[in-house]
Amino acid sequence: MSLFSEINEALKIATSAMVANKARGTLTALGIIIGIVAVITTMTAANGLQISFRESFAAVGSDVIYVSQRPWVQNGPWFRFRNRPAITMDEAQKLQDRLFGKGVVNPSMGTNTSIKYESKIAENARVIGTTEKQVIVATMLPETGRFLMPFDVDYKRRVAVIGAEIAENLFGDFDPVGRDIKLGMYKFQVVGVMEKQGGSVFGGPNFDRQVFIPITTYTSVFGNSGGRSNVDIAIKAPSPDAMQDFEYEVIGEMRKIRGLKPIEEDNFSINKLNNLLDAYNNIMGVVVAVGLAITSVSLFVGGVGVMNIMFVSVTERTREIGIRKAIGAKRRNILMQFLFESQMICLIGGAVGLLIAAGITALVNQFLIPASLSPVIIAAALIISMLVGILAGFVPAWRGARLNPIDALRYE
């Protein structure tokens, strides 16, 4: 008998055994279904969080370098950065002059305050003093109205561009453009509303709760006496490919501005989107590993259930094994028969679990975070189901394949 015929025969026997024991097979597959749902939803949730994180921080810009007093992700003791001098507007202007024609330089500074419109208040909103170059260095634009213009900065105009969440909370369905709001104690006219960015992830900035005002107005209203307010400087590189060389140039120019000697370490930080992504990937790697380890327990329990049922199945069909061996069946025929049966149970359970996980993923995508079942996750679910079937069914199948035909025929 050819190998194909042997496989075909083993499949037919395994299928008939499954049909004859529908209730037992269904209950056995339930453990696999629960395990697959747990594992797949963990993977899709992690994937969704990664998508949400990238979308949330898209405004940071992948080709933008930020010169700040402290690093976004601190990889050392905090006191290393505590006494660093604040970056001033004078330093930002000097850096802009030195990089003229090479990159777009945009200084900004911010504070948290309440925003009021009539009787409605948005607490703890982020007010950012910036320039018209903000829309060049960041990948976000006004949805309605306009952004800041050069004359707003030059003439210290009290105008504001508000985030989508601020607009929704204060104005509802009304158009905010042209209306007056109060930032703390000061009145500003709304000239634009930013497009929705999607909120914050893992305690990161909520771009929809930001308000942009001219940086000159910011310094006069919120204070910058003696240049003590801390400035962040965003510099857009000429191109993404030139990021590394441009970063070295920015560091060199900043060191010259601060008069640092060659042996002195930088007393400022260079931040990029990659810093956030690396930190996020490190954290999520641990979270996903722990999550998969916990959810895999349910899959392990399901596999143990399949193994127990396969031992029962082999015991119940001992005489059948003896008859098949007596008429010429080989060990591999018996082995394939029970392995196919355990794999069918696990594959059916995996397929059903995949469908349930797809439904849960659709709900998560609709109401919580962007999430989807990628081809890789679907393939992983089916492969995991097959592996569980092989591992759970091998020992019982091997035990059945090694039965002595005479002893098997005597079994009652």
Side-chain angles (χ1 to χ4, degrees):
M1 184 182 292
S2 66
L3 180 61
F4 177 79
S5 299
E6 291 179 359
I7 293 174
N8 187 47
E9 182 184 16
L11 277 172
K12 287 180 179 178
I13 296 173
T15 303
S16 62
M18 286 279 295
V19 172
N21 299 280
K22 298 185 188 72
R24 187 169 68 184
T26 302
L27 292 174
T28 306
L30 188 60
I32 302 299
I33 292 171
I34 295 171
I36 289 295
V37 169
V39 171
I40 297 305
T41 49
T42 300
M43 294 172 69
T44 53
N47 189 41
L49 285 172
Q50 187 174 34
I51 295 170
S52 183
F53 180 87
R54 289 180 178 275
E55 289 179 351
S56 179
F57 282 92
V60 173
S62 59
D63 59 347
V64 179
I65 296 169
Y66 292 82
V67 181
S68 308
Q69 182 185 30
R70 297 183 179 91
W72 290 343
V73 181
Q74 295 187 9
N75 294 319
W78 65 274
F79 55 79
R80 283 184 53 198
F81 316 107
R82 181 185 59 179
N83 296 323
R84 283 182 172 182
I87 298 173
T88 66
M89 280 296 295
D90 289 339
E91 290 175 326
Q93 185 60 54
K94 289 177 182 178
L95 186 60
Q96 182 174 344
D97 294 340
R98 290 170 178 265
L99 296 176
F100 181 77
K102 298 178 181 179
V104 178
V105 179
N106 182 64
S108 65
M109 54 183 71
T111 188
N112 291 335
T113 189
S114 61
I115 302 176
K116 185 176 181 181
Y117 173 71
E118 295 181 346
S119 61
K120 296 181 180 178
I121 300 176
E123 299 285 355
N124 202 34
R126 186 70 176 171
V127 177
I128 298 175
T130 186
T131 74
E132 73 282 356
K133 297 174 185 175
Q134 178 72 29
V135 292
I136 300 176
V137 299
T139 56
M140 54 183 180
L141 294 167
E143 185 173 6
T144 59
R146 65 173 177 85
F147 198 71
L148 303 177
M149 303 294 285
F151 61 83
D152 294 325
V153 180
D154 294 339
Y155 294 101
K156 302 182 181 180
R157 298 187 68 210
R158 291 192 182 181
V159 293
V161 183
I162 62 177
E165 187 177 322
I166 299 291
E168 183 179 348
N169 291 344
L170 295 184
F171 297 95
D173 296 330
F174 294 104
D175 184 5
V177 177
R179 300 174 187 268
D180 291 335
I181 59 175
K182 290 188 73 174
L183 306 183
M185 300 172 55
Y186 304 95
K187 186 181 291 186
F188 283 76
Q189 184 184 51
V190 178
V191 295
V193 179
M194 300 302 293
E195 59 188 6
K196 193 171 182 63
Q197 297 295 311
S200 65
V201 179
F202 289 123
N206 186 342
F207 295 106
D208 293 330
R209 287 187 63 83
Q210 292 181 341
V211 178
F212 299 97
I213 64 174
I215 193 167
T216 50
T217 310
Y218 180 96
T219 56
S220 64
V221 169
F222 293 99
N224 185 36
S225 77
R228 289 195 295 268
S229 289
N230 192 29
V231 178
D232 286 313
I233 309 172
I235 309 113
K236 190 176 181 66
S239 68
D241 295 335
M243 277 284 286
Q244 187 170 2
D245 292 337
F246 189 65
E247 180 181 343
Y248 293 141
E249 185 173 0
V250 170
I251 293 172
E253 296 295 349
M254 196 65 192
R255 288 181 63 87
K256 291 176 186 176
I257 291 170
R258 292 206 154 179
L260 296 176
K261 297 177 182 179
I263 59 172
E264 292 180 301
E265 67 174 12
D266 296 340
N267 58 1
F268 57 90
S269 292
I270 298 294
N271 294 304
K272 297 177 293 183
L273 180 60
N274 287 343
N275 300 139
L276 293 175
L277 292 177
D278 290 343
Y280 170 82
N281 289 332
N282 291 336
I283 294 171
M284 282 305 298
V286 175
V287 171
V288 172
V290 173
L292 288 176
I294 294 171
T295 54
S296 294
V297 172
S298 59
L299 196 58
F300 173 77
V301 173
V304 171
V306 173
M307 181 181 291
N308 287 336
I309 290 300
M310 292 310 300
F311 272 121
V312 172
S313 182
V314 168
T315 302
E316 288 179 345
R317 293 154 67 185
T318 300
R319 285 182 61 81
E320 176 190 326
I321 293 170
I323 293 171
R324 289 197 64 200
K325 283 196 166 188
I327 59 177
K330 300 176 182 176
R331 282 187 176 181
R332 67 168 178 264
N333 301 129
I334 307 300
L335 188 68
M336 281 192 295
Q337 170 188 337
F338 289 103
L339 275 180
F340 285 165
E341 186 175 338
S342 65
Q343 282 194 57
M344 286 174 68
I345 292 173
C346 291
L347 276 175
I348 292 171
V352 174
L354 201 55
L355 291 174
I356 296 173
I360 295 173
T361 301
L363 292 175
V364 169
N365 184 60
Q366 183 71 26
F367 299 106
L368 297 175
I369 57 175
S372 61
L373 275 177
S374 67
V376 173
I377 294 177
I378 293 173
L382 296 177
I383 291 172
I384 289 171
S385 300
M386 288 183 63
L387 288 175
V388 171
I390 292 172
L391 294 174
F394 182 79
V395 174
W398 181 249
R399 178 181 173 184
R402 295 190 63 189
L403 284 174
N404 185 294
I406 298 175
D407 295 335
L409 287 170
R410 290 175 178 172
Y411 182 83
E412 293 183 4

